[in-house]
């Protein structure tokens, strides 16, 4: 029922579609509402319209959960935003549906967060990764089915720089080296496996 009401509100606001050809856009998932505008005046108008339309169906905007983020690479002074009796908190970044959005519209912070989550998941399952009773093949499947999807969540929309690629590869090689262990040379010396050796093991 709630989803039907939200859908009706968005339709009445007539803000569906892509932000590219228009000044305003409204994105809704459950009770999380994301308003995107190109100008401050457009933002004031769209928030006011959302409040008025929602009030018609007995809903209200939560002032404490409302955040305001200005995306720009230019330096600017933080300024208070007033919408009637609302004073949304201005933030430098926020999370929406598991994705971190910052004022510079870059993904470095997001990637680092995904890697941190991947490290946490590895630590939570390190008993299996360190166990000699679990085969390396099973450990690799565990990594590919649980940890890698956590790190690469939302990667379809990523625009990767070489530095970001390197960070992701460093994380993956670290986990794979823990899974497969070191390599033994002919002189009985032990060394860490090279990247090529790890790639070959994954393809087998």
């Amino acid at each position: 029922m709630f989803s039907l009401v939200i859908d009706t509100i968005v339709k009445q606001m007539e803000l569906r579609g892509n932000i590219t050809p228009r000044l305003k856009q409204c994105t809704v998932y459950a009770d999380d509402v994301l308003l995107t505008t190109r100008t401050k005046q457009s933002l004031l108008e769209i928030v006011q319209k959302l409040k008025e339309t929602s009030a018609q169906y007995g809903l209200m905007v939560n002032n404490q959960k409302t955040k305001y983020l200005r995306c720009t690479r230019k330096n600017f002074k933080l300024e208070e935003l007033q919408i009637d009796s609302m004073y949304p908190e201005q933030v430098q970044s926020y999370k929406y549906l598991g994705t971190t959005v910052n004022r510079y519209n870059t993904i470095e912070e997001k990637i680092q967060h995904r890697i941190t989550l991947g490290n946490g998941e590895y630590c939570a399952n390190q008993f299996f990764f360190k166990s000699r009773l679990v085969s390396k093949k099973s450990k690799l499947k565990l990594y590919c089915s649980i940890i890698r999807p956590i790190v690469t969540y939302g990667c379809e929309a990523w625009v990767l720089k070489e530095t970001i690629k390197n960070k992701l590869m460093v994380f993956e090689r670290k986990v794979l080296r823990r899974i497969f262990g070191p390599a033994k040379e002919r002189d009985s010396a032990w060394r860490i496996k090279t990247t090529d050796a790890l790639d070959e093991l994954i393809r087998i």
Side-chain angles (χ1 to χ4, degrees), residues 11-12 86 92 113 127 157 192:
K11 285 181 179 178
Q12 289 189 13
M86 288 179 56
Q92 301 296 323
H113 176 65
F127 171 79
I192 62 173

Side-chain angles (χ1 to χ4, degrees), residues 30-80:
D31 61 342
D32 292 325
V33 181
L34 174 63
L35 302 176
T36 309
T37 66
R38 293 182 180 274
T39 64
K40 180 179 178 180
Q41 184 59 37
S42 298
L43 177 63
L44 297 175
E45 294 174 359
I46 190 176
V47 173
Q48 184 62 35
K49 189 172 184 179
L50 174 63
K51 291 179 61 178
E52 294 175 354
T53 307
S54 300
Q56 297 175 10
Y57 296 89
L59 300 179
M60 60 181 295
V61 177
N62 190 323
N63 296 347
Q64 295 181 348
K65 292 185 177 180
T66 302
K67 309 295 181 183
Y68 163 56
L69 173 68
R70 181 179 178 182
C71 290
T72 178
R73 295 175 186 248
K74 299 179 181 179
N75 294 325
F76 66 92
K77 294 182 179 180
L78 297 178
E79 56 182 21
E80 190 175 59

Side-chain angles (χ1 to χ4, degrees), residues 18-19 44 46 57 72 74 80 88 92 99 102 108 113 124 129 131 140 168 180-181 197:
N18 195 287
I19 188 63
L44 297 175
I46 190 176
Y57 296 89
T72 178
K74 299 179 181 179
E80 190 175 59
Q92 301 296 323
T99 299
N102 59 43
E108 281 82 356
H113 176 65
F129 286 107
S131 175
L140 181 60
L168 293 170
F180 293 107

Side-chain angles (χ1 to χ4, degrees), residues 129 136 139 174-184 190-194 198 201:
F129 286 107
K136 293 179 180 179
K139 292 177 182 179
K174 178 183 69 174
V175 176
L176 293 178
R177 286 188 175 113
R178 290 176 180 175
I179 291 175
F180 293 107
K184 190 174 184 180
W190 293 90
R191 62 167 178 78
I192 62 173
K193 283 185 170 64
T194 63
L198 292 174
L201 288 169

Side-chain angles (χ1 to χ4, degrees), residues 101-191:
V101 182
N102 59 43
R103 55 169 288 197
Y104 301 106
N105 198 27
T106 57
I107 65 171
E108 281 82 356
E109 182 180 353
K110 181 193 310 181
I111 299 297
Q112 189 57 51
H113 176 65
R114 303 312 310 177
I115 292 175
T116 301
L117 292 178
N119 278 319
E121 192 63 28
Y122 174 83
C123 292
N125 293 279
Q126 62 179 337
F127 171 79
F128 297 99
F129 286 107
K130 292 182 178 180
S131 175
R132 294 185 178 181
L133 300 176
V134 182
S135 67
K136 293 179 180 179
K137 185 176 181 180
S138 297
K139 292 177 182 179
L140 181 60
K141 285 185 178 180
L142 182 65
Y143 166 70
C144 292
S145 61
I146 297 180
I147 298 179
R148 182 187 276 179
I150 290 176
V151 177
T152 59
Y153 175 79
C155 64
E156 297 84 358
W158 293 353
V159 179
L160 298 180
K161 301 177 183 177
E162 284 301 320
T163 54
I164 299 177
K165 290 181 181 179
N166 290 336
K167 284 185 178 181
L168 293 170
M169 291 303 298
V170 166
F171 169 79
E172 179 161 272
R173 288 195 294 265
K174 178 183 69 174
V175 176
L176 293 178
R177 286 188 175 113
R178 290 176 180 175
I179 291 175
F180 293 107
K184 190 174 184 180
E185 298 286 5
R186 293 181 179 179
D187 58 358
S188 298
W190 293 90
R191 62 167 178 78

